Amino acid sequence: MAVRSYELVVIFGVGQVPELTAAHIDAVTERISVQGGEVDTANAWGRRKFAYPIENQNEGHYVLLKFTIDPANVAELERSLRLLEDVTRFLIVAEDPDVAAYEAKQLAEAHR
């Protein structure tokens, strides 16, 4: 089983989730784990305004998750995320190895 690195941005609408809690993020990480993935990091970006209204909402709580998973399981993960009522939008993208290498290099230089 070949795994690949992915990034997932999840938006929780403030209408459904007035205050973001660890339980909301855990619901997403649990979906990743069920599909055989492993979450590396979860970073809450906070509450932000939308560029345009989504489902009659103007703001949402943004969360970035970096994880690894078998590419064959991504479609099923997307399906299970659509079933979460608190999630307004999400986007999964494969992490570019060149970007990951650049970020690792920048991090190493910052710690010198």
Side-chain angles (χ1 to χ4, degrees):
M1 172 169 88
V3 296
R4 187 164 185 192
S5 296
Y6 291 87
E7 292 183 348
L8 164 64
V9 175
V10 180
I11 303 172
F12 296 93
V14 295
Q16 301 99 321
V17 181
E19 293 298 322
L20 184 66
T21 65
H24 294 106
I25 298 171
D26 290 345
V28 175
T29 58
E30 181 182 323
R31 305 279 175 153
I32 294 170
S33 297
V34 166
Q35 295 305 320
E38 185 176 320
V39 176
D40 299 323
T41 61
N43 184 7
W45 289 351
R47 190 172 176 158
R48 297 178 179 220
K49 262 193 169 324
F50 296 151
Y52 54 89
I54 300 173
E55 297 176 9
N56 296 320
Q57 298 180 65
N58 294 315
E59 295 183 308
H61 302 284
Y62 285 68
V63 178
L64 170 68
L65 295 108
K66 292 188 177 192
F67 64 98
T68 55
I69 193 170
D70 184 343
N73 296 345
V74 172
E76 185 61 28
L77 173 60
E78 288 178 336
R79 189 195 69 74
S80 70
L81 289 173
R82 282 188 198 95
L83 298 176
L84 289 174
E85 292 179 7
D86 295 339
V87 173
T88 300
R89 290 279 195 277
F90 68 88
L91 177 66
I92 299 175
V93 294
E95 190 173 61
D96 186 339
D98 293 336
V99 172
Y102 176 78
E103 288 175 349
K105 181 181 172 187
Q106 293 297 324
L107 186 62
E109 289 177 2
H111 290 307
R112 283 188 197 176

